[in-house]
């Protein structure tokens, strides 16, 4: 019976140097992301002085939802939503919410 080689010989693994050409795109992405985040926080501070927090959160959540709809395209595949399905959805909402029946 042959003995199998051990995957780790006890020496520390040498990862070597990282090629700067492979590292550059990720660094640029990090810098751009941080810049956009700082810009958004700066703009948000000004907006929060004018509008209530609930309105700002609603706008942010709505913008994110629209962006995800565009990116993920959930309605382009699968079964189409019929008018009857939309009606049953709005009828199933609790009575405290306004009903907008198509």
């Amino acid at each position: 019976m042959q003995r199998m080689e051990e995957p780790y010989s006890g020496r520390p693994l040498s990862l070597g140097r990282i090629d700067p050409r492979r590292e550059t795109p990720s660094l640029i992405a990090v810098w751009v992301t941080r810049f956009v985040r700082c810009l958004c926080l700066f703009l948000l501070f000004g907006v929060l002085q004018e509008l209530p927090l609930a309105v700002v959160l609603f706008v942010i959540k709505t913008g994110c939802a629209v962006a995800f709809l565009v990116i993920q395209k959930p309605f382009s595949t699968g079964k189409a939503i019929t008018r009857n399905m939309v009606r049953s959805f709005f009828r199933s909402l609790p009575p405290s919410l306004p009903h907008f029946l198509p």
Side-chain angles (χ1 to χ4, degrees), residues 31-99:
W31 290 339
V32 168
T33 304
R34 287 186 179 185
F35 175 75
V36 169
R37 183 178 180 193
C38 290
L39 180 66
C40 289
L41 287 174
F42 176 75
L43 294 174
L44 185 63
F45 180 73
V47 170
L48 280 174
Q49 290 179 346
E50 302 293 326
L51 296 175
L53 178 64
V55 173
V56 173
L57 289 177
F58 174 76
V59 170
I60 291 172
K61 291 289 185 180
T62 305
C64 290
V66 169
F68 282 132
L69 280 176
V70 170
I71 292 170
Q72 294 178 352
K73 299 179 186 173
F75 301 119
S76 63
T77 59
K79 186 177 172 184
I81 298 174
T82 63
R83 183 176 289 235
N84 196 18
M85 293 167 74
V86 173
R87 283 190 184 130
S88 66
F89 169 74
F90 282 110
R91 287 185 183 141
S92 68
L93 293 175
S96 61
L97 294 176
H99 289 275

